[in-house]
Amino acid sequence: MTMTLTETGVDRYVVEFDHFLRDLAVAGPERIEKLRHTAFERFVELGFPTVRDEQWRFTNVAPIARAELRLDSTPAEVTDKDLAPFDYEGCAQLVVVNGQFVPERSRLEGLPEGVVACGLADALERHPEQIESHLARYARVEEQAFVALNTAFLRDGVFLYVPRNVVVEKPVNIVMVGRPEDRPIGFFPRNLFVAEESSQVTLVEQYVTVGEGSYLCSPVTEVVTGDNAVIDHYKLQRETSEAFHTATFQIQLGRDSNFSSHSISWGGAIVRNDVNAVLEGEGAEATLNGLYMVEGTQLVDNHMRVDHVAPHCDSHELYKGILEGSARAVFSGLIHVHPGAQKTDAKQTNRNLLMSPDALCNSHPQLEIFADDVKCTHGSTVGQLDDTAVFYLRSRGIGEDAARSLLTYAFASDIVDRIKVGSVKRDLEEFLFRRLPKGDIVRQAV
Amino acid sequence: MTMLEIKDLHASAEGMEILKGVDLSINPGEVHAIMGPNGSGKSTLAQVLAGNEVYEVTDGQILYKGQDLLEMAPEERAREGVFMAFQYPVEIPGVSNVYFLKAALNAIRTHRDLDEMDAMDFLTYVREKMKLVKMDEALLNRPVNEGFSGGEKKRNEIFHMAVLDPVLAVLDETDSGLDIDALKVVADGVNTLRNDERAFLVITHYQRLLNYIVPDFVHVLVDGKIVRSGDKELALELEEKGYAWLEREVGASEPVGV
């Protein structure tokens, strides 16, 4: 056992866990209190994943396991000025710094009556009944080391609750700030979003860095989309290129519900997104789209699992990637159709654009089908810009760099165009214009 | 002064020689038509003029306004006034047709030491050109060629040509696959743009186009060489007799190229 601990870099977490429990202000319901312990035990058993683990074959998290992360960091300060680039006009705002909710920087006025938007620690204390039926009931503690670790260190994050029939007009902008310290730190935001029957809400999660330095941000977000509810979700992973990010996003879909997510990643050194959607009510529809654009030695890994449990459900996945330098991308998409999930309509597409001979992509779409009357398609491509298209643009007087940038933008554009929150779309466009060579010409031409 | 002077041009693709010594001179104001059977090298000639790097020039020379055209990158050629209407225009999702043209025109204007056109001036300018090719305004704001019909794509090429105002316009089988109405629109566009300074090289497989765009010269390309040149009567003769008599006459081997 000791051998295993040392090998997997888990031993020092035992001490950190003791410190964490000692300092924990709000333990929450008894189940949660116990769960932290079982989750920690599970993490110790599992250890950090290695490339021998099928689900982590191409994503080596040894740098995270080796990093001597401090987990007891003191609450850090951020100013409104620090937050200005991420502050979206017309949105409600919740700010979390190093995993802890900061009410002073949050802006919650104008939300409809009955909507709860607060820190998870507050919710553990003030809304235990609303939390109890959902918190830590979906994400797979047993199987996933990072979920186990997050659950062991469960303390704070964001809780959002939208009651039955309530439509939240204002998008809710959640700013998850990493504030590096002089030594690498680790934190584990825990989020719970619940949209009750026939409610509707638009959510933005931005993962950002204020300052410079290395850290691990390892959030777990559980989403409950009630019967006939509609959630439109956006995630912007825009942390510093020194950050490690291992996120689990677990979505439950009720009858006739509609959940849509666009996950945009351009930051981080190692970024892993585990996205699990469970369509458990008849007639549910899930849209899981994503765009990643990485350079240098960045690694981005999107691991998707869609479980079609109930009949007559649709899922659509479109992930697109642009890889520069020696960047690497991993895409793994599993569609699992359970027995009885007849009339499933599932589509999954992953397209990658390699901009450099040193960039590398591993793409693995998979289908597991245990029902006989279903429509499932998947496809993946890895390619380069089309020379004929480049030549076409150059033949109109556009320089080569600008032509390549225009076509790269064109590749990304179907994801960009689907973004319904103006500020998110604008930020993504601005990022592309900045990142792409001769971006000013792209800006002019789109 | 001669605008374009092609001398003994040899070009190949994937190691196979397609153009085997083409000579051609074009003066300002002239319209030249190049006809020929499939695989004779017509499109290759157009692509080489526009600078497609898929084709390797193995011998010969092209002088454009006295400069060595082959030394210039495709975008430099465009900025110097060479335009090629593509046989198969490319779809570019997410990039608006009109803004793209503005970027292209401004790249050309900057090269010619002209001020960039602002949005207002450009729109006025573009509306004028649209009338020329009877373009539907809706196609302006759509992404470049995306979801356009075959005819709309060709019309859009003529529209690009009108906006970019070239010195030498090369039309690569712009008429292929068009119905008569679309064909007339293409021809009208070209005829309106004809003037004493501008030259056209119209590449076509079918004589029909030349009823609407009356060329000053007609050249027949067979097996990578111009085997006969004449005036518009040559096109009519070809229409009557087909290409076979010329192919027999020059003893052409198997057709080559694309």
Side-chain angles (χ1 to χ4, degrees):
Chain A
M1 195 67 190
T2 313
M3 281 293 288
T4 315
L5 284 178
T6 313
E7 267 178 15
T8 53
V10 158
D11 46 353
R12 60 188 313 277
Y13 285 82
V14 177
V15 181
E16 295 285 348
F17 187 58
D18 283 344
H19 287 171
F20 167 77
L21 290 180
R22 197 187 57 212
D23 296 343
L24 191 64
V26 185
E30 200 186 332
R31 180 179 66 91
I32 300 299
E33 234 177 312
K34 282 186 180 152
L35 190 59
R36 285 193 190 94
H37 287 276
T38 45
F40 188 73
E41 282 158 23
R42 188 63 188 144
F43 169 69
V44 170
E45 280 162 25
L46 290 169
F48 282 104
T50 71
V51 290
R52 289 188 296 275
D53 181 337
E54 183 61 27
Q55 297 302 316
W56 295 83
R57 257 171 79 199
F58 302 105
T59 299
N60 186 353
V61 296
I64 300 174
R66 270 200 312 268
E68 301 203 339
L69 302 174
R70 217 174 63 198
L71 306 183
D72 61 343
S73 77
T74 48
E77 281 291 309
V78 292
T79 64
D80 286 341
K81 197 170 160 244
D82 293 330
L83 295 172
F86 320 113
D87 189 330
Y88 289 163
E89 210 188 321
C91 295
Q93 181 169 288
L94 291 113
V95 174
V96 175
V97 180
N98 294 354
Q100 297 192 55
F101 179 63
V102 184
E104 308 85 74
R105 298 282 167 258
S106 301
R107 209 171 49 222
L108 298 167
E109 62 275 15
L111 291 175
E113 211 183 310
V115 171
V116 180
C118 64
L120 189 85
D122 293 343
L124 285 170
E125 200 168 29
R126 294 193 285 127
H127 307 281
E129 67 296 338
Q130 278 157 324
I131 293 255
E132 186 46 29
S133 45
H134 298 299
L135 182 66
R137 295 212 183 260
Y138 310 112
R140 297 182 170 95
V141 173
E142 279 300 302
E143 299 156 37
Q144 301 287 344
F146 283 103
V147 175
L149 191 57
N150 176 288
T151 306
F153 288 88
L154 187 156
R155 174 169 55 185
D156 204 355
V158 165
F159 175 57
L160 182 80
Y161 176 85
V162 184
R164 205 165 155 239
N165 292 332
V166 170
V167 175
V168 184
E169 302 277 358
K170 267 188 181 184
V172 178
N173 178 26
I174 298 164
V175 187
M176 291 279 178
V177 182
R179 186 87 171 89
E181 297 178 9
D182 47 4
R183 274 177 50 197
I185 56 169
F187 50 87
F188 307 94
R190 184 70 178 222
N191 307 313
L192 175 63
F193 308 147
V194 180
E196 294 281 21
E197 186 188 314
S198 300
S199 67
Q200 185 171 337
V201 64
T202 299
L203 289 168
V204 180
E205 283 184 89
Q206 297 188 71
Y207 288 85
V208 311
T209 309
V210 171
E212 283 299 321
S214 180
Y215 63 89
L216 167 68
C217 172
S218 186
V220 170
T221 302
E222 289 169 300
V223 183
V224 180
T225 319
D227 293 352
N228 205 37
V230 177
I231 297 181
D232 191 18
H233 170 268
Y234 301 90
K235 173 175 177 177
L236 276 174
Q237 203 296 118
R238 52 195 304 186
E239 290 168 291
T240 163
S241 57
E242 293 173 83
F244 301 123
H245 185 93
T246 54
T248 297
F249 193 58
Q250 177 76 37
I251 311 125
Q252 308 299 120
L253 285 99
R255 191 185 175 102
D256 301 319
S257 66
N258 189 314
F259 178 86
S260 164
S261 177
H262 288 78
S263 172
I264 315 294
S265 293
W266 72 68
I270 297 175
V271 173
R272 163 80 171 216
N273 286 307
D274 276 281
V275 178
N276 307 312
V278 184
L279 295 97
E280 48 192 2
E282 224 176 290
E285 182 176 348
T287 303
L288 304 168
N289 293 341
L291 177 69
Y292 42 94
M293 185 165 182
V294 281
E295 61 177 359
T297 56
Q298 285 181 291
L299 164 64
V300 59
D301 177 351
N302 285 294
H303 249 71
M304 321 290 296
R305 182 187 167 111
V306 175
D307 278 275
H308 278 266
V309 179
H312 294 285
C313 292
D314 293 357
S315 66
H316 327 275
E317 298 169 70
L318 173 62
Y319 265 70
K320 290 188 137 186
I322 301 163
L323 284 73
E324 299 176 298
S326 309
R328 286 201 300 131
V330 181
F331 178 86
S332 166
L334 172 63
I335 297 170
H336 184 101
V337 181
H338 293 242
Q342 302 296 11
K343 305 290 178 190
T344 286
D345 188 346
K347 187 171 185 198
Q348 180 192 75
T349 310
N350 175 229
R351 298 201 186 291
N352 296 280
L353 190 54
L354 299 187
M355 306 295 286
S356 132
D358 298 322
L360 185 67
C361 174
N362 297 101
S363 182
H364 298 270
Q366 300 165 69
L367 294 174
E368 291 174 357
I369 302 175
F370 298 97
D372 55 12
D373 184 12
V374 302
K375 196 167 94 186
C376 294
T377 61
H378 65 178
S380 104
T381 58
V382 179
Q384 286 148 25
L385 289 178
D386 175 21
D387 287 337
T388 308
V390 175
F391 172 57
Y392 181 70
L393 297 184
R394 294 176 76 187
S395 83
R396 302 290 133 108
I398 302 284
E400 185 175 4
D401 285 350
R404 298 182 70 82
S405 292
L406 267 171
L407 292 168
T408 308
Y409 184 89
F411 173 81
S413 68
D414 55 348
I415 299 291
V416 177
D417 290 342
R418 284 170 215 233
I419 296 176
K420 292 189 206 144
V421 176
S423 307
V424 176
K425 189 174 176 178
R426 190 202 56 222
D427 269 7
L428 175 57
E429 283 175 335
E430 284 303 319
F431 162 75
L432 290 169
F433 298 152
R434 275 198 315 274
R435 170 68 71 83
L436 295 168
K438 302 280 178 192
D440 50 323
I441 290 174
V442 181
R443 187 195 301 271
Q444 260 192 53
V446 300
Chain B
M1 181 181 140
T2 305
M3 177 193 292
L4 188 75
E5 184 83 53
I6 302 174
K7 291 177 196 162
D8 192 31
L9 183 68
H10 291 250
S12 56
E14 289 166 358
M16 190 156 71
E17 189 169 50
I18 301 170
L19 297 181
K20 301 173 178 174
V22 173
D23 293 280
L24 181 66
S25 290
I26 299 178
N27 293 307
E30 293 176 351
V31 175
H32 291 244
I34 295 210
M35 303 188 67
N38 285 330
S40 59
K42 301 187 300 286
S43 279
T44 300
L45 179 60
Q47 299 280 335
V48 168
L49 286 170
N52 190 341
E53 285 153 8
V54 168
Y55 300 93
E56 191 194 352
V57 174
T58 51
D59 207 356
Q61 196 183 26
I62 305 177
L63 291 177
Y64 169 69
K65 297 195 290 189
Q67 293 169 274
D68 184 353
L69 189 73
L70 296 174
E71 282 297 304
M72 294 157 72
E75 59 270 28
E76 283 177 70
R77 301 180 194 202
R79 292 166 192 174
E80 285 288 336
V82 177
F83 177 89
M84 178 176 79
F86 276 50
Q87 187 178 0
Y88 304 110
V90 178
E91 297 192 12
I92 307 167
V95 176
S96 114
N97 201 19
V98 64
Y99 292 136
F100 165 67
L101 269 178
K102 181 166 173 273
L105 181 65
N106 281 335
I108 291 171
R109 287 178 67 89
T110 306
H111 177 78
R112 296 179 187 169
D113 288 325
L114 298 167
D115 286 338
E116 290 198 359
M117 244 190 227
D118 66 25
M120 287 302 289
D121 290 347
F122 181 72
L123 218 59
T124 316
Y125 175 77
V126 149
R127 290 233 161 84
E128 223 173 90
K129 302 294 180 187
M130 271 171 54
K131 286 190 201 127
L132 234 127
V133 287
K134 301 182 179 69
M135 272 270 291
D136 187 350
E137 181 131 8
L139 297 187
L140 263 192
N141 298 312
R142 295 238 306 259
V144 182
N145 294 322
E146 196 188 35
F148 287 25
S149 69
E152 285 170 340
K153 282 181 184 170
K154 297 295 178 74
R155 198 180 292 195
N156 196 37
E157 291 293 281
I158 300 300
F159 172 59
H160 282 198
M161 177 174 81
V163 170
L164 300 180
D165 195 25
V167 176
L168 171 68
V170 180
L171 275 64
D172 186 10
E173 300 207 26
T174 304
D175 57 320
S176 296
L178 293 189
D179 64 32
I180 194 70
D181 294 330
L183 183 75
K184 282 179 180 168
V185 169
V186 166
D188 284 352
V190 171
N191 290 329
T192 321
L193 291 170
R194 271 176 98 153
N195 64 31
D196 291 345
E197 281 93 50
R198 204 187 323 265
F200 288 88
L201 184 62
V202 179
I203 287 168
T204 180
H205 187 72
Y206 305 102
Q207 182 273 336
R208 188 177 66 159
L209 176 69
L210 305 181
N211 293 337
Y212 299 94
I213 301 173
V214 181
D216 300 304
F217 301 95
V218 175
H219 311 276
V220 184
L221 194 67
V222 174
D223 192 21
K225 281 181 182 164
I226 290 177
V227 296
R228 183 149 312 186
S229 296
D231 59 13
K232 61 181 188 225
E233 298 303 321
L234 177 58
L236 295 172
E237 200 179 346
L238 278 171
E239 173 72 2
E240 204 178 301
K241 298 184 182 170
Y243 291 113
W245 63 284
L246 276 176
E247 285 176 302
R248 275 195 304 274
E249 215 165 87
V250 299
S253 53
E254 289 295 299
V256 292
V258 283

